Amino acid sequence: MTFNFLRGPTSGHLDVSRMLWALSVLAGIGYSGAHLVINHSFSIIEFGTGMGLLLAGGGTATALKDRAVAQAVAQGTGEAP
């Protein structure tokens, strides 16, 4: 298994926002599984809505951060790759 999706576009270092996004998705899936085991009930609508919001929010935040880093590097105010 490769962890390249946890690295930023300009460096080989782990990206904190991507790691937190992946952790939140794993936590959402884990919580849904625990809820299913404990209460023996599961709502696909609630799960789908929650996961959709996690995926959309994390992806949007990471894209905005990557765009800001690319602009900073292009203007010479940021770290070079």
Side-chain angles (χ1 to χ4, degrees):
M1 184 169 143
T2 179
F3 289 102
N4 287 334
F5 66 93
L6 295 177
R7 301 184 188 283
T10 59
S11 69
H13 301 295
L14 291 175
D15 190 7
V16 174
S17 66
R18 292 171 193 262
M19 290 187 331
L20 291 174
W21 178 64
L23 182 63
S24 67
V25 169
L26 290 175
I29 293 172
Y31 178 73
S32 297
H35 184 70
L36 181 62
V37 170
I38 293 170
N39 295 336
H40 299 290
S41 64
F42 182 75
S43 171
I44 192 67
I45 300 298
E46 292 176 8
F47 179 75
T49 302
M51 288 307 297
L53 290 172
L54 281 173
L55 291 171
T60 302
T62 303
L64 290 172
K65 184 197 66 71
D66 288 346
R67 183 175 294 167
V69 168
Q71 285 178 342
V73 169
Q75 293 174 356
T77 59
E79 217 176 83

